[in-house]
Amino acid sequence: MHAARTGHSGFSESTEEIKPLTEEEKKEQLAKIQERLKQKQAERLEKEKKDNIEKEKMRRKQGKELSSIKEQMEMDEMKRQAELKKREKLEEKKAKERVREQIARDKAERAAKFAKTNTATAPPPSAPAPAATSSKPADVQKKEYTQTKLQVKQNHIFRWLNKSICVSTISLLLCFVSRYF
């Protein structure tokens, strides 16, 4: 098998016989092997300890990096939110300004329209009316009220508000209030 794999040929047999180990030699070799095993195990433990220390350092470093990245992302998000809020306030301010301008234009249009209709329907100014010499003017008209606003409060708390037909006397008003309260 060895000859087929390696291509060697012409083997010679060894005539030398290996003598068996004595008890002392066996113990000595066993002690050497155990010593080598202990040494390799100590080296392996030392290497594992160093590796664990390195892994812990890397873990801490990554944790710090991760927390700094997270903090940076939060700061960026806060800046974005502040910018968005600022932009919204500016847009709101512009919208209010547009509404004010529209109101001013509408007001000007109404004033112009009112002035136009006033000049068209107003009679030409005549001579000023003479001042009344008597203490009571004769054609003073009494204003006729058709609605009344009734508001009832108890202990400074608003209770009820009603706009209805005008009540001619206090007794009718008391009757109305007693019916609903």
Side-chain angles (χ1 to χ4, degrees), residues 12 25 32 34 72 84 90 97:
S12 63
E25 292 173 337
K32 284 181 185 177
Q34 286 178 347
Q72 184 64 36
L84 181 66
L90 184 63
E97 188 61 34

Side-chain angles (χ1 to χ4, degrees), residues 9-128:
S9 60
F11 295 104
S12 63
E13 284 189 27
S14 171
T15 57
E16 192 177 308
E17 193 175 307
I18 300 175
K19 57 182 176 174
L21 296 175
T22 64
E23 204 52 48
E24 251 180 55
E25 292 173 337
K26 284 181 182 179
K27 286 182 182 179
E28 193 178 305
Q29 279 189 350
L30 184 62
K32 284 181 185 177
I33 291 173
Q34 286 178 347
E35 185 64 34
R36 268 191 259 147
L37 282 174
K38 285 181 183 179
Q39 187 179 7
K40 286 193 179 200
Q41 188 176 15
E43 288 174 2
R44 183 179 51 83
L45 288 174
E46 186 67 29
K47 186 178 178 188
E48 283 180 4
K49 192 175 183 181
K50 286 180 182 178
D51 287 347
N52 286 340
I53 290 172
E54 286 298 316
K55 285 180 183 178
E56 182 66 20
K57 285 181 182 177
M58 287 296 288
R59 187 189 66 79
R60 287 181 183 178
K61 183 179 177 185
Q62 288 175 347
K64 286 179 182 178
E65 288 174 358
L66 184 64
S67 66
S68 67
I69 289 171
K70 191 175 183 180
E71 187 176 314
Q72 184 64 36
M73 287 176 63
E74 287 174 358
M75 291 293 284
D76 290 346
E77 182 64 26
M78 286 172 50
K79 285 179 184 177
R80 243 185 319 238
Q81 290 294 332
E83 184 65 33
L84 181 66
K85 194 172 187 179
K86 189 176 182 181
R87 198 174 315 127
E88 285 175 354
K89 280 187 177 182
L90 184 63
E91 288 174 4
E92 188 175 314
K93 189 176 181 181
K94 285 180 182 179
K96 284 182 180 180
E97 188 61 34
R98 285 193 301 268
V99 168
R100 284 187 190 120
E101 288 172 0
Q102 182 65 36
I103 289 171
R105 281 193 299 261
D106 290 347
K107 199 175 195 181
E109 286 175 7
R110 277 184 278 141
K113 189 176 181 182
F114 182 71
K116 205 184 247 186
T117 58
N118 252 0
T119 56
T121 60
S126 59

Side-chain angles (χ1 to χ4, degrees), residues 148-164 173-174 176-181:
T148 186
K149 182 177 177 181
L150 181 63
Q151 189 175 28
V152 178
K153 291 184 179 181
Q154 293 175 337
N155 297 333
H156 303 289
I157 299 173
F158 175 74
R159 293 289 184 195
W160 187 67
L161 175 68
N162 186 16
K163 287 184 179 181
S164 61
L173 176 66
L174 287 173
F176 177 78
V177 169
S178 66
R179 184 182 328 157
Y180 289 105
F181 295 101

